[in-house]
Amino acid sequence: MLRQNFRLTSLVFGLAAVLGSCSTTKNSDELDIKMKPVITNSDEEAPSNVDVRDGAVEYQNPVSVMPKNVMEWQKFFKPAPTSVERDVLEAKLRHWDKPDTPSNLIQKGRTEMALGRFKAAEVSFRAVLRHSASHHEALLELSHIYIKQRRLDEAFEFLQDLFDEINLSEEVTTSLVFRYRYALSLALIARGDRDKAHAVLSDLIGIDKTFTPAYTALASSYIGVDKYEVAKFIAKRALDRAKGHPSLFNILGLIAESEDRQVAAMGWYNKAIKADANYAPAFVNRANLHLRQFEYELAKQDLDRAVRADPHNIEAHISLAVTQRKTGKTDQAKKTLETAITIDPKNIFARYNLGILLAEDLDRPHQAIRLFQEVLHSGAK
């Protein structure tokens, strides 16, 4: 699920980032659900400004959960499908003839999400809610869609609904509470409430030390505020505890770049790609290294592979447009950025870079000004 580059690839255009935050009427302080972590000990010393718990005290009134092993998280957090798998999933949807039962619609929606068809997935999950307004999985999946699309008011609305349903239920599975808390942490990070998100993620790590998505989200959040040493500690601890996941190698590559160790960064990206030949973020970051070294053909090869691996990876399209512009293919760059905006209409970096292209290369200042105004307005919310 987590396929971010943790980098503003559009900086190659000289972008001065305009970062906005979304408000919400929901009180996130009341949305967490405490769980009983497994108590273990560790002699490894963490930096003083990070909390990656090996255990924690038991909470007074944790939610009542069924005794089901939380290790099943792997079946809900899968890598992006390969090109062959995409073809299979596409064919499956083309010939979909199953009855519109809640379980079938959930399956259909998850297939659509795997293919990056978020609008179609939203329709499928909302159809589930018309059958059952309290369907836990539909509420959770819709919250993930809205987090990805940065529709945070809607994300918190569905998280609130799921929170209420969990607390009204006599029994819920550990897996559901675990995955709900992870979604809550992503929403909190997206809103800028990093401390609250970090506390939730640290608890999840304390409960299941192999839960790679939590390490990845936690480390990338610290990278987002330039705390690279903390991110490095988290990523290396994750590598010690779980199998080498490409997202962890990718994070270590970004950290190496922050330390101006380009060769080491390239090595980490190569490891990420070796671990998963379809891991688009590593291809994008490796391409950006090639771009800075004026190796445009190598950059294009990596970006073509990234787009094939994940056609909806917005950073891949933006970096591909950068490469096309650098090589004088301005019309192609324009089409690529327009594709990026189609994928993510709210993406300010795609809009800003298209504005730069229109103003500096295609002599369309009025269209460029409109795009710049949209970027500024998005940052003012």
Side-chain angles (χ1 to χ4, degrees):
M1 288 172 61
L2 290 171
R3 300 191 297 276
Q4 303 168 5
N5 293 322
F6 315 125
R7 166 197 302 285
L8 306 181
T9 55
S10 48
L11 283 173
V12 183
F13 272 12
L15 170 61
V18 182
L19 298 177
S21 61
C22 296
S23 63
T24 176
T25 58
K26 303 298 180 184
N27 185 354
S28 60
D29 291 328
E30 300 175 357
L31 286 178
D32 195 15
I33 298 175
K34 304 305 181 184
M35 303 171 71
K36 291 185 177 182
V38 177
I39 308 300
T40 60
N41 295 310
S42 173
D43 295 328
E44 186 173 2
E45 184 177 353
S48 58
N49 53 344
V50 63
D51 178 18
V52 183
R53 301 181 187 176
D54 281 313
V57 298
E58 293 187 358
Y59 295 98
Q60 286 282 330
N61 295 300
V63 66
S64 175
V65 296
M66 296 172 63
K68 193 171 183 180
N69 196 334
V70 77
M71 302 294 276
E72 69 174 15
W73 65 261
Q74 287 90 341
K75 76 178 185 180
F76 294 100
F77 296 85
K78 297 179 180 179
T82 65
S83 57
V84 173
E85 291 168 340
R86 290 187 68 86
D87 290 341
V88 172
L89 294 176
E90 295 277 6
K92 186 176 182 180
L93 287 177
R94 281 197 302 271
H95 302 291
W96 191 272
D97 58 358
K98 296 181 180 181
D100 285 345
T101 63
S103 60
N104 287 339
L105 287 167
I106 289 291
Q107 183 184 2
K108 184 182 181 185
R110 285 174 174 162
T111 301
E112 290 162 338
M113 282 190 70
L115 294 171
R117 298 181 182 179
F118 299 123
K119 288 183 179 179
E122 180 182 4
V123 170
S124 295
F125 295 133
R126 283 190 174 273
V128 175
L129 296 181
R130 286 196 292 274
H131 284 275
S132 173
S134 61
H135 197 287
H136 294 168
E137 296 296 337
L139 293 170
L140 182 58
E141 296 291 3
L142 281 166
S143 71
H144 274 294
I145 289 175
Y146 297 139
I147 292 166
K148 286 177 181 293
Q149 297 178 332
R150 296 185 297 283
R151 295 159 60 180
L152 295 185
D153 283 339
E154 291 163 281
F156 276 102
E157 178 183 346
F158 280 92
L159 287 169
Q160 177 74 61
D161 289 345
L162 182 53
F163 173 85
D164 293 341
E165 291 298 328
I166 289 173
N167 280 281
L168 288 172
S169 300
E170 292 185 3
E171 285 187 330
V172 293
T173 64
T174 304
S175 171
L176 176 65
V177 178
F178 193 85
R179 290 181 291 120
Y180 161 80
R181 296 186 73 202
Y182 176 69
L184 175 62
S185 73
L186 297 184
L188 290 169
I189 289 173
R191 199 177 64 182
D193 290 336
R194 294 180 187 274
D195 289 343
K196 298 173 187 175
H198 295 175
V200 176
L201 291 168
S202 295
D203 270 349
L204 295 181
I205 290 170
I207 294 164
D208 186 341
K209 296 177 181 59
T210 70
F211 186 47
T212 305
Y215 292 105
T216 302
L218 192 57
S220 62
S221 178
Y222 279 111
I223 285 177
V225 290
D226 297 328
K227 293 185 178 180
Y228 292 99
E229 283 302 316
V230 180
K232 182 191 291 188
F233 172 84
I234 294 167
K236 288 192 171 182
R237 171 168 280 197
L239 286 174
D240 290 339
R241 292 175 169 180
K243 293 181 179 179
H245 193 277
S247 65
L248 300 173
F249 295 133
N250 189 58
I251 286 170
L252 289 168
L254 293 172
I255 293 168
E257 283 197 65
S258 76
E259 299 167 341
D260 200 26
R261 297 188 297 119
Q262 309 302 320
V263 174
M266 185 70 76
W268 287 117
Y269 298 142
N270 290 340
K271 283 188 175 182
I273 291 166
K274 184 177 180 180
D276 182 353
N278 291 283
Y279 190 68
F283 281 113
V284 175
N285 288 331
R286 192 170 74 174
N288 288 334
L289 282 180
H290 288 312
L291 277 172
R292 285 198 290 277
Q293 296 166 3
F294 309 104
E295 298 170 341
Y296 299 129
E297 184 56 35
L298 290 175
K300 184 179 182 301
Q301 290 174 13
D302 274 349
L303 292 167
D304 285 342
R305 292 178 68 180
V307 171
R308 284 198 301 272
D310 184 2
H312 290 81
N313 185 297
I314 196 76
E315 290 87 359
H317 288 282
I318 293 173
S319 287
L320 181 58
V322 169
T323 306
Q324 290 165 336
R325 185 186 184 219
K326 292 285 187 181
T327 54
K329 299 176 180 178
T330 52
D331 288 337
Q332 290 184 22
K334 178 175 176 291
K335 290 180 181 178
T336 301
L337 287 170
E338 288 171 343
T339 299
I341 292 171
T342 300
I343 294 169
D344 184 358
K346 294 185 178 181
N347 189 284
I348 61 174
F349 307 112
R351 289 183 178 277
Y352 183 92
N353 283 322
L354 181 56
I356 291 290
L357 187 69
L358 291 170
E360 295 185 358
D361 298 316
L362 298 176
D363 194 25
R364 299 182 187 178
H366 296 299
Q367 293 182 39
I369 289 171
R370 176 177 58 80
L371 288 166
F372 294 147
Q373 288 174 337
E374 290 174 358
V375 170
L376 292 172
H377 290 159
S378 70
K381 290 182 180 179

